[in-house]
Amino acid sequence: MHERILVPIKLKHAALSDESMMKALSIARARNAEIIALTVVPEISKNLKALPEDSKPELEAFVKRHDTDGITISSVIRTGQPHRAIPRAAREFGCDLIVMNSHNPRIRDYVIGSTAAHVVMHAECDVLVVRQGK
C-alpha cells in the first residue's frame, strides 16, 4: 500500500521530528517501503554565504540517529516555503504517504493555518500527522 514515504524534518527543531521518523520507519518496515527524509530551507538564507546543500550533513546526522537497518532512506533538500515544498516533493518523488509532525495549534494557526494543515489540504497522497506532546 505505502511504498514511498516522505518525512519532512525541520532541522532547527529536529528533535521534535523523532516521533514522526520512528512512525515512518515502523510503517516502512511493515510495508517494505523506502523513506525520503526532506528538509526545506529558505531560498535566501539570513547568512548569505550559506547554501541549501549546507544543510545536508545535519539532515543525514538526524537520519543516522535512528534505527534504519534494512530500510532505504534518501536525504533531500528543497528550497522555498515548507507548506508548498512538501506536497511538491511528494509529487516529484511519487510518494504515497507523508508522515509529519505538528505542534498543538495556536490561535494564529486557526487564522492563517499551520504547515501541516496546508500539507493535508494540498497533498495528493495520504498524510499522517503526528501530534507533539501527546
Side-chain angles (χ1 to χ4, degrees):
M1 184 167 168
H2 296 299
E3 296 176 5
R4 189 167 292 149
I5 303 167
L6 184 72
V7 183
I9 310 297
K10 187 173 185 177
L11 292 176
K12 280 185 181 178
H13 307 289
L16 297 176
S17 297
D18 283 334
E19 190 173 350
S20 57
M21 179 57 92
M22 289 187 292
K23 286 186 189 259
L25 288 166
S26 177
I27 294 167
R29 278 192 184 87
R31 308 267 187 210
N32 197 28
E34 69 178 279
I35 291 177
I36 298 170
L38 168 77
T39 194
V40 181
V41 298
E43 290 184 46
I44 300 174
S45 71
K46 292 177 184 174
N47 174 359
L48 296 176
K49 292 181 182 179
L51 299 172
E53 55 269 17
D54 293 344
S55 300
K56 189 113 178 182
E58 191 176 352
L59 179 60
E60 289 175 346
F62 171 83
V63 170
K64 287 179 183 176
R65 288 196 330 244
H66 297 86
D67 177 15
T68 60
D69 288 343
I71 298 173
T72 301
I73 298 185
S74 304
S75 298
V76 176
I77 298 169
R78 291 293 179 265
T79 60
Q81 298 172 319
H83 70 279
R84 290 193 176 121
I86 294 168
R88 190 178 309 127
R91 280 190 303 277
E92 176 186 345
F93 294 108
C95 296
D96 45 25
L97 177 65
I98 299 170
V99 178
M100 65 185 300
N101 65 350
S102 178
H103 57 79
N104 291 321
R106 297 172 297 222
I107 294 296
R108 76 175 184 92
D109 293 327
Y110 290 107
V111 177
I112 62 171
S114 68
T115 299
H118 282 277
V119 171
V120 168
M121 290 186 339
H122 298 287
E124 296 174 1
C125 63
D126 294 342
V127 180
L128 172 60
V129 178
V130 179
R131 280 270 182 226
Q132 297 302 300
K134 294 271 179 179

